[in-house]
């Protein structure tokens, strides 16, 4: 796309991808519900390119995407906070499940990702946790009918 200011060329995009510190990292967390697994490289790369100070995920379920955001932040030594918000009860979209929250909390504790915070609540309730215009990266992955 020559002649469009601010639009990267094919070669500059390839260089950006080739020089990525995170894009080709093996995912640290893949679960038996790997619906998001194919997007992990993009999450790693997005954190590297955007370097958000505050990341919020609405709909965390098993935490594959939240773990990818956290893995990238750790690999890049980012100074940031990452928040995962979910009821961890399930819904008509994901099905209903038990024990996922405890497993995910243990995972983040074991990894030592103190910058990653889990909030067991509904999305509307979580609104009070964040100031207006403070979220740099918002990942929406909740119930698709909500």
């Amino acid at each position: 796309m020559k002649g469009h200011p601010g639009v990267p060329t094919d070669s500059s995009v390839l260089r950006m991808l080739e020089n990525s510190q995170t894009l080709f990292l093996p995912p640290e967390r893949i679960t038996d519900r790997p619906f998001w697994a194919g997007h992990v490289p993009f999450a790693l790369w997005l954190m590297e390119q955007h370097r958000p100070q505050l990341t919020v995920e609405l709909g965390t379920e098993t935490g594959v995407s939240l773990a990818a955001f956290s893995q990238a932040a750790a690999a890049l030594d980012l100074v940031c906070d990452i928040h995962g918000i979910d009821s961890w009860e399930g819904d008509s979209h994901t099905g209903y499940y038990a024990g996922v929250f405890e497993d995910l909390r243990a995972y983040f504790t074991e990894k030592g990702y103190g910058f990653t915070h889990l909030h067991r609540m509904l999305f509307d309730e979580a609104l009070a946790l964040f100031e207006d215009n403070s979220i740099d990266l918002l990942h929406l992955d909740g119930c698709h009918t909500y």
Side-chain angles (χ1 to χ4, degrees):
M1 290 196 185
K2 294 181 180 180
H4 295 284
V7 176
T9 63
D10 291 344
S11 61
S12 67
V13 169
L14 287 176
R15 275 193 306 281
M16 185 175 27
L17 294 174
E18 288 172 351
N19 295 327
S20 174
Q21 297 174 347
T22 59
L23 183 63
F24 302 109
L25 291 175
E28 291 179 345
R29 182 174 175 86
I30 299 295
T31 67
D32 62 344
R33 298 170 60 96
F35 311 116
W36 217 84
H39 302 294
V40 167
F42 175 72
L44 297 168
W45 179 82
L46 181 63
M47 290 293 286
E48 180 177 359
Q49 295 303 307
H50 190 50
R51 298 181 180 267
Q53 292 180 347
L54 179 57
T55 298
V56 175
E57 176 174 84
L58 299 178
T60 300
E61 195 189 8
T62 63
V64 172
S65 51
L66 195 70
F69 295 135
S70 300
Q71 178 182 356
L76 297 164
D77 291 323
L78 295 182
V79 176
C80 65
D81 283 309
I82 300 172
H83 298 264
I85 298 157
D86 202 308
S87 69
W88 281 282
E89 295 174 1
D91 54 47
S92 60
H93 178 73
T94 62
Y96 295 89
Y97 47 83
V100 174
F101 176 76
E102 292 78 12
D103 176 66
L104 190 57
R105 183 173 49 192
Y107 168 81
F108 283 113
T109 299
E110 179 183 308
K111 295 301 292 181
Y113 291 160
F115 52 83
T116 301
H117 313 281
L118 302 177
H119 305 280
R120 195 169 197 172
M121 59 181 53
L122 299 176
F123 302 160
D124 292 344
E125 297 168 331
L127 186 60
L129 299 175
F130 308 101
E131 293 181 26
D132 289 351
N133 301 312
S134 65
I135 299 171
D136 300 306
L137 177 61
L138 178 63
H139 177 225
L140 303 172
D141 196 21
C143 181
H144 296 186
T145 61
Y146 181 56

